[in-house]
Amino acid sequence: MTTPESRVIIVGGGVFGLSTALYLARDGYKNVTIFDRCEFDKNHYNPANGCDGASADINKIFRATYGSQSHNQDLALEARDVWLEWNRAIKESRPSDLPFPLTPEDKLLTLCGVYHLADGKEMIGRYVENLNVMEKTAPSFRDLQFIKDSPQDEDRAKALGPEWEKKYHLFDKFRNGRTNGFLDAGSGITLADKACTYARHLCEQAGVKFILGRPHGELDQLIINKSGSSKRVSGIKTRDGQSHFADLVIVACGPWSSSVIPEAHRSVEATMGTVMFIDIPADRQDLRQRFHPDRFPVWRFIEGEGEAAYEGGGFPVTKEGRLKFGFRARKFTNFQDHPTQQNLRISTPRTKYSPEPIDTVPLYGLQLMKRVIGGLFPELTEIGFTDSRLCWYTDSVDNEFVIDYVPGYSDSLFICTGGSGHGFKFLPILGKYVKNQLERKPDRFTPIWKWRTVEEGKNCNGLEEGEAGPREMSRLQLAKRKYPGAISFFFFFF
């Protein structure tokens, strides 16, 4: 039984590891240590500084609309309150009391709005359900959502402020007006890298220890003790050859989780989405102002089904002038030999910082992105895409988290992962409920987050496909850069 006296090792310093450590330490756990191969104390979760985990990013979407998944909606709304508390705490802090690079001017959550769009004049079922459930369960939040092309909702948006009236009409001309959706003024963006930096700061204040960087913070293998038919994990060995012992090891390695726990390869899978960037030059203040969060929301767009389906979106411009766009209707896999388990192939992240680095994206996703983005913002084609990234997610069989003891290890090994592309927003609150699962205190999340694997004959979010599936990266055509360092808009738009 895990108690505050237990020695706890957490492998992974991203969202799941940070939030878990924070709530354990704040509730009296005296010996919690996070190990990670990334030097977060030096690179500050900045993806330009060698970080390639899903948590290390410039920004992430915050939304609370989850349709029938009321548990996720409620969790998001609870997290939203804490995000805003963090904003207030940072604003009231002295600069010297904040971890670099945070300043009192930083907002970890900016409620710039999220515009949910889809092709066609009739509201798609997903959006109808989102709004109906919100109306029944969180009516005050529903008051901040405005249906496109509704005279009544146009008046309500206008009453909220002139900036919201302008945001409401931003996409009126896209596809000659043949789109549907709604503007959610209660949602927005989080500063991902700075949010993780702040969470790490809070962890340190609460007494969490960090061992970061290669080789001393990098996991080599779990220490597994076997006795007859039983086994348990007694700690970890790091790349420097040192052994670190604990009563409980929590694996929160995101898309690398099944690389650590072989049994998890049928519970979670590393899948890759396509991310593109446009860096607006400093002398184009007209564009920087146009896409500023005060004037521009996060946007999402859904179109079509099957191979031609598009589901993606974009973000307002950052202070540095960077626009980010993502595509994730179809996510890809990269099967490699398991690092410790013989005769096992698993999907494994491949990034700019991998032993075999990659600096481009699948042409399939890029072609869909350039068509949608070019139609929305033709004024950006003269600048062009200036950077790209493969964003690796941790998909579970049903897009719900996997937070539970791993069977067969006598409650000594715990998995905490399965973000499935929507986990970041829960950073400020997730650990509160992870702790319940650790201490075996059942709550509403227990049956949803429990250990589960692929069921034969069922659609399991692609995990049932294996290496022979159509998403395997080795069978993809990758985009070619027109010139080193950039993927040209001109080359792909025309």
Side-chain angles (χ1 to χ4, degrees):
M1 177 69 178
T2 304
T3 71
E5 303 304 318
S6 300
R7 297 170 298 166
V8 179
I9 285 176
I10 300 176
V11 184
V15 165
F16 283 73
L18 288 170
S19 193
T20 298
L22 180 61
Y23 276 87
L24 290 177
R26 283 182 169 177
D27 206 36
Y29 281 70
K30 304 175 180 63
N31 194 336
V32 178
T33 305
I34 288 180
F35 287 79
D36 202 292
R37 59 183 169 81
C38 284
E39 295 180 298
F40 294 133
D41 53 338
K42 298 178 181 178
N43 59 37
H44 314 294
Y45 291 88
N46 186 332
N49 292 339
C51 304
D52 54 4
S55 297
D57 205 343
I58 56 174
N59 46 33
K60 297 284 190 182
I61 187 173
F62 176 89
R63 64 176 172 96
T65 51
Y66 272 94
S68 62
Q69 297 175 339
S70 60
H71 57 285
N72 282 328
Q73 175 187 294
D74 294 347
L75 193 63
L77 292 174
E78 186 177 359
R80 185 179 185 270
D81 290 340
V82 185
W83 280 115
L84 296 176
E85 287 177 12
W86 284 8
N87 279 356
R88 286 191 289 271
I90 290 170
K91 183 178 181 180
E92 295 169 0
S93 296
R94 294 177 298 181
S96 59
D97 291 335
L98 293 173
F100 179 84
L102 265 74
T103 70
E105 290 73 40
D106 284 318
K107 289 184 178 180
L108 299 184
L109 171 62
T110 297
L111 298 177
C112 61
V114 176
Y115 216 129
H116 300 266
L117 290 166
D119 190 47
K121 290 295 293 182
E122 185 176 349
M123 182 85 79
I124 64 171
R126 182 191 307 186
Y127 293 168
V128 171
E129 182 182 45
N130 286 343
L131 295 171
N132 287 343
V133 171
M134 194 67 73
E135 179 71 42
K136 295 175 182 177
T137 59
S140 61
F141 196 86
R142 174 66 180 84
D143 289 341
L144 298 173
Q145 296 170 328
F146 313 110
I147 297 174
K148 186 177 181 294
D149 299 326
S150 164
Q152 295 83 3
D153 281 16
E154 179 182 6
D155 290 340
R156 293 198 305 113
K158 184 177 181 179
L160 196 61
E163 71 276 19
W164 291 106
E165 181 184 16
K166 292 178 181 178
K167 289 180 180 180
Y168 178 82
H169 288 292
L170 273 174
F171 301 98
D172 284 357
K173 296 180 180 180
F174 180 49
R175 299 285 172 90
N176 294 317
R178 293 191 59 79
T179 57
N180 65 86
F182 64 96
L183 172 62
D184 183 347
S187 298
I189 51 173
T190 58
L191 296 180
D193 51 355
K194 291 186 177 182
C196 286
T197 296
Y198 187 65
R200 194 178 78 83
H201 170 69
L202 295 180
C203 282
E204 288 186 322
Q205 287 185 324
V208 176
K209 297 181 283 294
F210 286 83
I211 299 179
L212 303 173
R214 292 183 169 101
H216 47 283
E218 183 175 12
L219 175 71
D220 180 34
Q221 62 184 30
L222 301 174
I223 300 174
I224 302 175
N225 303 117
K226 297 181 179 179
S227 177
S229 60
S230 65
K231 58 184 177 181
R232 64 178 296 110
V233 173
S234 60
I236 67 171
K237 181 178 288 187
T238 45
R239 290 289 185 184
D240 59 356
Q242 297 296 309
S243 295
H244 308 269
F245 296 98
D247 301 302
L248 175 69
V249 173
I250 300 173
V251 174
C253 297
W256 287 271
S257 293
S258 56
S259 297
V260 179
I261 305 173
E263 295 92 333
H265 82 283
R266 302 296 276 170
S267 295
V268 292
E269 182 175 63
T271 65
M272 173 267 292
T274 302
V275 177
M276 302 299 299
F277 302 97
I278 296 176
D279 293 292
I280 300 177
D283 62 358
R284 292 301 308 269
Q285 289 299 312
D286 58 326
L287 291 178
R288 289 197 178 192
Q289 289 301 313
R290 164 160 159 61
F291 292 100
H292 191 279
D294 288 347
R295 301 170 188 84
F296 200 82
V298 179
W299 62 274
R300 307 176 77 202
F301 182 66
I302 298 173
E303 176 189 42
E305 296 180 355
E307 288 297 310
Y310 179 91
E311 182 173 351
F315 291 76
V317 70
T318 66
K319 289 194 299 185
E320 297 76 22
R322 171 159 279 201
L323 287 170
K324 171 184 163 184
F325 305 92
F327 167 76
R328 62 186 303 266
R330 183 179 181 185
K331 293 182 285 186
F332 303 99
T333 55
N334 177 50
F335 275 78
Q336 302 290 324
D337 291 336
H338 193 280
T340 63
Q341 186 78 25
Q342 291 185 349
N343 302 317
L344 178 61
R345 301 270 290 176
I346 62 169
S347 182
T348 307
R350 184 184 174 196
T351 74
K352 290 182 178 180
Y353 309 112
S354 296
E356 296 182 11
I358 184 170
D359 64 351
T360 185
V361 297
L363 185 59
Y364 167 85
L366 182 60
Q367 288 175 329
L368 291 171
M369 290 177 72
K370 56 93 174 176
R371 175 174 55 81
V372 172
I373 297 168
L376 278 168
F377 316 114
E379 66 270 36
L380 295 175
T381 61
E382 62 185 274
I383 300 174
F385 287 127
T386 50
D387 200 3
S388 65
R389 182 189 184 193
L390 301 182
C391 185
W392 288 92
Y393 305 93
T394 320
D395 278 352
S396 70
V397 296
D398 52 9
N399 286 332
E400 299 285 5
F401 307 152
V402 181
I403 300 176
D404 198 357
Y405 287 96
V406 180
Y409 288 90
S410 304
D411 286 2
S412 63
L413 180 62
F414 192 89
I415 189 169
C416 188
T417 188
S420 303
H422 69 108
F424 193 95
K425 68 179 71 66
F426 304 118
L427 168 63
I429 201 67
L430 181 66
K432 174 181 177 181
Y433 300 99
V434 175
K435 179 175 173 290
N436 283 350
Q437 315 314 312
L438 282 167
E439 295 178 345
R440 295 199 180 279
K441 297 177 180 177
D443 59 26
R444 67 186 298 190
F445 301 106
T446 303
I448 300 170
W449 295 349
K450 67 181 179 181
W451 175 270
R452 58 205 183 278
T453 58
V454 168
E455 294 185 42
E456 296 300 328
K458 288 189 176 181
N459 185 332
C460 295
N461 203 22
L463 273 79
E464 74 279 4
E465 295 174 355
E467 189 170 2
R471 301 177 299 144
E472 203 336 85
M473 196 172 176
S474 62
R475 288 187 282 278
L476 297 179
Q477 182 181 358
L478 299 177
K480 295 181 180 179
R481 293 178 179 269
K482 187 176 181 182
Y483 49 88
I487 298 179
S488 170
F489 243 35
F490 180 86
F491 181 75
F492 286 108
F493 267 140
F494 304 104

